[in-house]
Amino acid sequence: ATRHAEMVAIDRVLDWCKQHNRDYTEVFPQTVLYVTVEPCIMCAAAVRLMSILSCLFRFGGCGSVLSISSDDMVDTGEPFECVSGYRAKEAVEMLKAFYRQENPNAPKSKVRKKDHRN
C-alpha cells in the first residue's frame, strides 16, 4: 500500500460523483467514513476539508496535539464527528493477520523472518 485508506476513499467518491453526475460538495456531507485506525493528521485534515459527516474507526483516540476533527480552525472546512472503538475486536484480528504477512515486494534483506507466532 502506498496511500492511506482515507485518501483512496475520497478519490473513489470523487470518481463516483463524476460517473453519476453528482456534486461532491453535496455527497461528502452525507458520508460516513469507516477506517481501521484513527486517521493521521493529513487524513483527518482531508476528511475535514471534504466536509465528510463523520469518521468511525476502531483504534486510537480522537486527536493528538491537534484535534483536527473538532478544533476551531480558519478555512479548513467543517468539524466532523469522530467516533473511536467501532468493532475494535475485529480490527485487532484484522491487523494481526495483516502484520503476519510478508511483503512480496520487499528486498530480500528486508524480509523479516517468520517465527510462527500467532
Side-chain angles (χ1 to χ4, degrees):
T2 58
R3 300 180 67 218
H4 292 190
E6 295 86 349
M7 297 304 194
V8 172
I10 288 169
D11 283 346
R12 287 188 179 171
V13 171
L14 291 171
D15 289 344
W16 183 89
C17 288
K18 284 180 189 174
Q19 293 170 1
H20 293 89
N21 199 27
R22 297 287 304 270
D23 183 353
Y24 73 89
T25 63
E26 294 175 6
V27 173
F28 279 116
Q30 300 176 46
T31 301
V32 175
L33 178 65
Y34 294 83
V35 294
T36 305
V37 295
E38 177 184 8
C40 70
I41 194 167
M42 172 188 69
C43 291
V47 167
R48 184 169 174 148
L49 286 169
M50 299 312 288
S51 298
I52 291 175
L53 177 65
S54 62
C55 179
L56 283 73
F57 55 92
R58 299 166 182 187
F59 296 121
C62 289
S64 53
V65 175
L66 295 174
S67 295
I68 300 295
S69 63
S70 61
D71 283 353
D72 185 27
M73 296 181 280
V74 178
D75 297 326
T76 60
E78 295 297 316
F80 63 92
E81 180 184 26
C82 182
V83 181
S84 67
Y86 178 76
R87 297 173 71 174
K89 277 188 156 186
E90 289 178 64
V92 169
E93 293 307 316
M94 186 178 3
L95 286 173
K96 283 181 181 178
F98 173 79
Y99 284 111
R100 280 193 296 265
Q101 299 175 34
E102 288 186 12
N103 180 349
N105 299 318
K108 291 292 180 200
S109 62
K110 301 294 181 188
V111 175
R112 67 187 166 120
K113 303 294 182 214
K114 295 233 181 217
D115 61 5
H116 302 294
R117 283 186 280 168
N118 288 327

